[in-house]
Amino acid sequence: MTKRPIIIDTDPGIDDAVALAIALFSDELEVRLITTVAGNVSLDKVTMNALRLLKFFGKDVPVAMGAARPLIKEPIDASDIHGSSGMDGYEFEEPTKDLVLSENAVNAMYRVLMDSKEPVTLVPIGPLTNIALLVKLYPEVKDKIAEIVLMGGSTTRGNAGVMAEFNIYADPEAAKIVFHSGVPLVMVGLDVGWKALVYPEDSARLKDMNETGRMLYQLFQKYRGGGLKTGLKMYDSCAIAYLLQPGMFEAVETFVDVEVAGTLTAGCTVVDLKNYLGRPSNAKVCVDIDPQQFKQWFLDSLRKCN
Ligand code: BDR
Ligand code: CA
């Protein structure tokens, strides 16, 4: 089977760690490059976390460092959710920096895309700064991108502001550029992330599953994306789930814009489900997910890990 080539742009992040585990051990995906972006914690920290995970998994995927700050606004972080390291809860072995490319994330993505025989899918699961820079600096890459399947946004309320989801809120201007890029785009946002839940009985199964399961179990003890009892939210894994099992989602083609000027709503994704604005659709938006199918897929996928 030919694997689908992807680039993951990430800010690990505990739920990013889960998404990376699933993608790296999938028989259907070929992760050609991992790019990092400041988000959950600083660029240096998220890059170290990506390297720690790769060493833990025994995978040699090149890593390129991207933006250390958003395009315009001041940086924020989510260390209240993921801990001050970004992946609190597990003592990883310290990795070398051998996998880190000398190229920055934007140039590395450009090279991988232009060198690829087939279009490559971009999977951003952090703020969209790197992707915005890529499509602005190198618009010719757009033809080489199969689609962008991103975790971010919401059709309703937010988790970083009243109306704003964290990855969009962290860099609204970048998100606006990406939504207007003309590249086919799938938005996998809070509407589904809030239903992709891991409960204590699922965590208990992970603990005895394999080394990866044990590691994730320990990270989950510190993760504050949801509650241990009420369900931990596996936001970023939803983007990987969409790649591998889109049938578990309900998605609609619609127009999406990003509020950048709102005094109360900056970082809000304006998802025009009823076409008030009369604009052509620029995204496929996941509006629902089958939680049972997600759970099954999630556990089956993690069983393939080391
Ligand atoms: C997103 O915010 C981050 O904290 C998570 O890693 C995820 O990408 C969810 O809103
Ligand atoms: Ca993330």
Side-chain angles (χ1 to χ4, degrees):
M1 186 181 26
T2 53
K3 293 184 167 194
R4 176 173 178 176
I6 66 170
I7 296 173
I8 302 182
D9 186 61
T10 179
D11 61 339
I14 293 176
D15 62 322
D16 301 71
V18 190
L20 285 165
I22 295 176
L24 288 164
F25 286 94
S26 161
D27 308 322
E28 295 164 59
L29 300 175
E30 181 195 341
V31 184
R32 292 216 179 143
L33 174 69
I34 292 173
T35 52
T36 55
V37 62
N40 284 324
V41 287
S42 70
L43 181 66
D44 285 340
K45 287 184 180 177
V46 297
T47 305
M48 280 313 287
N49 289 344
L51 296 171
R52 288 185 178 112
L53 290 166
L54 287 168
K55 181 174 166 101
F56 181 93
F57 298 140
K59 301 277 182 186
D60 284 344
V61 178
V63 174
M65 293 173 73
R69 45 175 301 127
L71 294 184
I72 295 174
K73 73 179 277 194
E74 287 303 309
I76 55 165
D77 75 22
S79 52
D80 54 330
I81 307 289
H82 302 266
S84 68
S85 72
M87 285 189 337
D88 277 12
Y90 188 85
E91 284 298 316
F92 287 91
E93 275 180 40
E94 278 315 283
T96 65
K97 292 191 174 164
D98 293 354
L99 290 173
V100 181
L101 300 173
S102 54
E103 289 167 302
N104 67 46
V106 176
N107 287 340
M109 280 194 272
Y110 172 72
R111 177 181 47 76
V112 169
L113 284 160
M114 297 311 276
D115 287 353
S116 176
K117 288 200 190 75
E118 66 278 73
V120 177
T121 298
L122 303 187
V123 190
I125 54 176
L128 290 162
T129 323
N130 293 338
I131 311 295
L133 290 168
L134 174 74
V135 296
K136 279 290 181 195
L137 263 172
Y138 300 115
E140 64 273 29
V141 292
K142 291 185 194 173
D143 291 339
K144 305 287 279 183
I145 303 173
E147 59 180 343
I148 297 174
V149 178
L150 67 88
M151 191 284 135
S154 168
T155 68
T156 58
R157 301 256 155 181
N159 65 351
V162 180
M163 303 300 288
E165 181 280 330
F166 178 81
N167 289 339
I168 308 296
Y169 185 66
D171 196 342
E173 284 78 11
K176 191 175 179 79
I177 290 170
V178 172
F179 275 96
H180 286 280
S181 66
V183 177
L185 196 145
V186 182
M187 173 178 132
V188 187
L190 297 181
D191 306 74
V192 295
W194 278 333
K195 293 186 180 173
L197 300 175
V198 165
Y199 289 99
E201 61 271 24
D202 311 313
S203 286
R205 286 167 81 177
L206 286 182
K207 195 176 168 195
D208 301 322
M209 194 179 264
N210 48 33
E211 285 299 317
T212 299
R214 257 187 294 285
M215 179 268 286
L216 294 176
Y217 174 84
Q218 292 188 36
L219 292 180
F220 288 171
Q221 308 310 305
K222 297 284 179 188
Y223 179 50
R224 294 293 171 268
L228 269 175
K229 295 215 172 89
T230 51
L232 295 172
K233 292 160 188 160
M234 295 296 113
Y235 299 114
D236 291 339
S237 296
C238 290
I240 310 297
Y242 184 85
L243 296 178
L244 295 173
Q245 256 187 52
M248 73 172 88
F249 294 88
E250 186 188 331
V252 291
E253 293 277 354
T254 186
F255 175 71
V256 181
D257 209 336
V258 178
E259 181 56 82
V260 293
T263 52
L264 294 171
T265 55
C268 164
T269 40
V270 178
V271 181
D272 191 9
L273 292 171
K274 295 198 171 160
N275 198 22
Y276 289 113
L277 302 170
R279 304 278 300 270
S281 126
N282 60 350
K284 195 185 251 191
V285 175
C286 293
V287 291
D288 207 358
I289 187 172
D290 180 329
Q292 282 314 320
Q293 268 191 57
F294 175 83
K295 177 84 64 65
Q296 196 57 50
W297 167 84
F298 182 80
L299 293 170
D300 290 348
S301 302
L302 288 172
R303 222 167 268 123
K304 295 183 187 146
C305 298
N306 281 346

